[in-house]
Every structure is written in structure tokens, then in C-alpha cells.
Amino acid sequence: MLIIYGAYVPHKAAETQRIVCIKFKPGTTSEEMEKEMRDFAVLKNNVKDVVAYSAGRVQKTDGNKSEYDVIHYLTFRTDEAAKQYASNAYRNDFVKSNESHWDKVLEMNSDIEK
């Protein structure tokens, strides 16, 4: 079974990409994790200038335990839109409704090289 949480749209110009890595707390159910993935996928529709969104579970390699469970990728049309993401009301509501399941979160922006 293949679940796609987002898709890349290459024909739209973009300046900044943001990654959001999430480690769930022990005891978080698969259903709760799937709800978070679906909620984040909907969140992108309410954030200005999102060019592309995708997400997935972190692959376990060589039997090593990963530091994070899922990674969300947001691509923004402008640097300003990426900066405004942190104060977006829909994003803040998403965080409030899901953060009780999160052990840790890593978020960072990067430039898109042209």
C-alpha cells in the first residue's frame, strides 16, 4: 500500500524549503501518527505561498534507531512566506492539537539553489 501525503509541483518558482522532523513520544499509536500526517497535509493548504509539500516516515537503516519518526517538507514561493509560517494561525492550531504526542521537533529552512 502506498500513501502519498503531498506532491511536488516543479513548474512553480520557489526560494525556500523547510523541513519539520518529528519524534513521537513512546506509546503514541499508529492511528495518532497517521492523524498527525493527515493534519499536516491539510495544513499546507492554509499556509500562504506553499509551492510543494511532501512527507514520509523516516527509514530505519542498518538496524539503527532513528532520531526522528517522520519528516515533512514544505517548499515556499518566497523567503518571506517561509518566515511567516511560524506565526500562521492554522500552523499554531495544528501544533496545539498534536504536540502532546511529540517528544521532540526539529524545524529548519534552507535556500533553494538555482
Side-chain angles (χ1 to χ4, degrees):
M1 182 167 140
L2 175 65
I3 299 174
I4 299 174
Y5 293 97
Y8 177 62
V9 182
H11 65 279
K12 294 183 180 178
E15 295 180 3
T16 303
Q17 185 169 25
R18 181 177 193 88
I19 64 162
V20 180
C21 304
I22 296 173
K23 176 71 173 177
F24 290 100
K25 291 180 180 177
T28 302
T29 67
S30 293
E31 293 80 15
E32 290 165 333
M33 289 182 197
E34 287 301 317
K35 179 186 179 308
E36 187 270 350
M37 298 292 283
R38 287 189 310 273
D39 288 352
F40 205 117
V42 170
L43 165 69
K44 68 155 171 42
N45 297 326
N46 297 302
V47 176
K48 182 181 176 192
D49 289 334
V50 172
V51 173
Y53 167 79
S54 62
R57 293 183 184 263
V58 173
Q59 297 177 357
K60 311 291 189 240
T61 57
D62 300 327
N64 294 331
K65 188 170 181 151
S66 177
E67 193 171 343
Y68 295 94
D69 297 311
V70 298
I71 302 175
H72 300 275
Y73 301 90
L74 292 159
T75 304
F76 294 93
R77 186 174 311 284
T78 65
D79 289 334
E80 186 60 34
K83 291 174 186 171
Q84 291 175 359
Y85 164 80
S87 61
N88 181 284
Y90 290 101
R91 180 227 178 239
N92 292 335
D93 289 344
F94 167 80
V95 169
K96 286 177 187 173
S97 67
N98 287 282
E99 68 185 342
S100 64
H101 298 292
W102 299 340
D103 186 32
K104 63 181 174 175
V105 177
L106 170 68
E107 295 188 67
M108 67 177 85
N109 290 350
S110 66
D111 294 331
I112 295 176
E113 297 295 323
K114 297 176 172 113

